[in-house]
Amino acid sequence: MDPLFDLIQLLRPRATLWGGIEGHGRWAVSFRNRGDLLFCWLERGACQLIRPDDAPLLLDQGDFALIRADNDFVLASDSQAVPQDSERMVSTTGKTLLSVGVGSEARVILRGGRFVFDTANEDLLAGLMPSFVHIANDDTTSSWRVRSLLSLNLSESSQPGAASDFVVTRLMELTFVEILRGVVPETVRKHKGLLAGLNDPVIARALVAMHEDSAKNWTLADLARLCGVSRSGLTSRFRSIVGMAPIGYLQKWRMAVAKDALRRGHKSIGEIGLAIGFQSPSAFSTAFTRFTGISPTAFAALESQTPF
């Protein structure tokens, strides 16, 4: 199994285009901390992305940014421009294409949107991937694919046809995957998580093995032997790169699979527990309750009331 594919399957990404920005002269637009995963694509011109505790980043024409909005951030012509609040502007104007600054012609045109995920496992995103990804226009490995997919999405959204919802959903799933695949190793190494683990030859073997058979009674000794390292060596390396110990990761992944199955409602609690390595419904229920703070039955009932 491919761990990245497994992650995408559980997250079920969808995208909504929130519109964009047309910047005239000097301008700035702020975005509040909502925990959303936003993306933006610079169609024309250049602007700065300003985030707390980081130097302003220049986004040039054709660049893409994937931003986990766990802090406020600003898109601006320059770092000294006074920002206008995006939510207030949308509420006031009723428009999602924001025209800011002064001038007759937009020097900057930026398109963007928001990825929406299955609520049962949305927390996997924050823990397993970087909170910020920048793909420059001159990144020849993936930039053109992302550009092409978003262009198709924009065309489909503006001129919908038969099965447009299906087409847009598939396009944005592919966009999300391409953005993840386009993360350069230097960026990945700065963030603990699944992507960092997949870029390490030793950790990747352990991750692939656990995803291929998550129900197996894996021990640290099994994984260390598979990777050709000592148990202490694997634990230290896994923790420093992924952010948790190997068996802790396996437990987290099993519970993510369980939450997804409970949300779907097609299997009994016993069947779900057996599929992820528990020999009895009671053992699974105890482990699930300890991990999530709620019983499988209560979780399933709660999730059945939450639309996706």
Side-chain angles (χ1 to χ4, degrees), residues 52-101:
D53 305 321
D54 285 294
L57 174 68
L58 178 66
L59 297 178
D60 213 340
Q61 185 166 313
D63 282 12
F64 298 90
L66 184 70
I67 311 160
R68 166 65 76 173
D70 46 15
N71 284 296
D72 294 354
F73 70 93
V74 175
L75 292 165
S77 59
D78 64 88
S79 59
Q80 301 304 312
V82 178
Q84 300 180 64
D85 181 78
S86 58
E87 292 184 21
R88 189 173 295 115
M89 291 179 70
V90 171
S91 175
T92 301
T93 65
K95 299 177 179 178
T96 55
L97 180 59
L98 307 177
S99 181
V100 290

Side-chain angles (χ1 to χ4, degrees), residues 26-292:
R26 196 176 209 194
W27 59 273
V29 178
S30 63
F31 296 82
R32 301 180 195 177
N33 171 8
R34 297 294 189 196
D36 293 329
L37 188 67
L38 305 177
F39 66 87
C40 61
W41 161 35
L42 205 58
E43 184 177 296
R44 180 195 299 175
C47 70
Q48 291 189 1
L49 171 63
I50 304 167
R51 298 177 296 147
D53 305 321
D54 285 294
L57 174 68
L58 178 66
L59 297 178
D60 213 340
Q61 185 166 313
D63 282 12
F64 298 90
L66 184 70
I67 311 160
R68 166 65 76 173
D70 46 15
N71 284 296
D72 294 354
F73 70 93
V74 175
L75 292 165
S77 59
D78 64 88
S79 59
Q80 301 304 312
V82 178
Q84 300 180 64
D85 181 78
S86 58
E87 292 184 21
R88 189 173 295 115
M89 291 179 70
V90 171
S91 175
T92 301
T93 65
K95 299 177 179 178
T96 55
L97 180 59
L98 307 177
S99 181
V100 290
V102 179
S104 58
E105 182 179 353
R107 296 172 55 191
V108 174
I109 297 179
L110 183 145
R111 308 290 183 188
R114 173 171 81 100
F115 283 107
V116 181
F117 304 92
D118 190 325
T119 55
N121 279 307
E122 190 174 4
D123 62 317
L124 284 175
L125 196 65
L128 297 178
M129 63 172 286
S131 60
F132 175 70
V133 174
H134 173 219
I135 300 179
N137 184 44
D138 58 4
D139 178 359
T140 58
T141 60
S142 61
S143 173
W144 70 269
R145 290 198 296 260
V146 175
R147 253 195 334 275
S148 298
L149 287 165
L150 287 177
S151 294
L152 286 170
N153 179 274
L154 186 61
S155 174
E156 189 67 33
S157 298
S158 59
Q159 298 179 335
S164 276
D165 287 347
F166 177 84
V167 172
V168 169
T169 299
R170 298 289 86 81
L171 284 171
M172 293 316 301
E173 287 180 1
L174 288 172
T175 300
F176 182 68
V177 174
E178 285 295 344
I179 290 174
L180 292 184
R181 292 173 65 190
V183 177
V184 295
E186 290 75 12
T187 300
V188 168
R189 280 194 285 267
K190 297 177 183 177
H191 303 271
K192 295 179 180 181
L194 177 63
L195 294 184
L198 292 175
N199 276 271
D200 180 273
V202 173
I203 302 304
R205 285 198 292 272
L207 286 169
V208 170
M210 287 188 284
H211 279 257
E212 282 182 342
D213 189 0
S214 60
K216 180 176 177 178
N217 185 25
W218 289 104
T219 66
L220 183 58
D222 293 333
L223 294 170
R225 192 179 308 112
L226 177 69
C227 296
V229 296
S230 67
R231 287 177 294 177
S232 60
L234 177 62
T235 299
S236 176
R237 188 164 180 161
F238 205 101
R239 198 182 287 276
S240 67
I241 293 174
V242 180
M244 63 189 76
I247 301 304
Y249 175 87
L250 177 61
Q251 181 189 35
K252 184 180 179 71
W253 182 254
R254 284 173 171 168
M255 293 302 144
V257 172
K259 286 193 288 184
D260 183 67
L262 288 166
R263 180 173 172 79
R264 287 170 175 263
H266 300 320
K267 294 181 180 180
S268 69
I269 289 177
E271 289 172 327
I272 294 170
L274 187 63
I276 61 172
F278 292 90
Q279 298 306 308
S280 70
S282 61
F284 165 58
S285 182
T286 299
F288 187 90
T289 303
R290 185 185 302 119
F291 188 85
T292 64

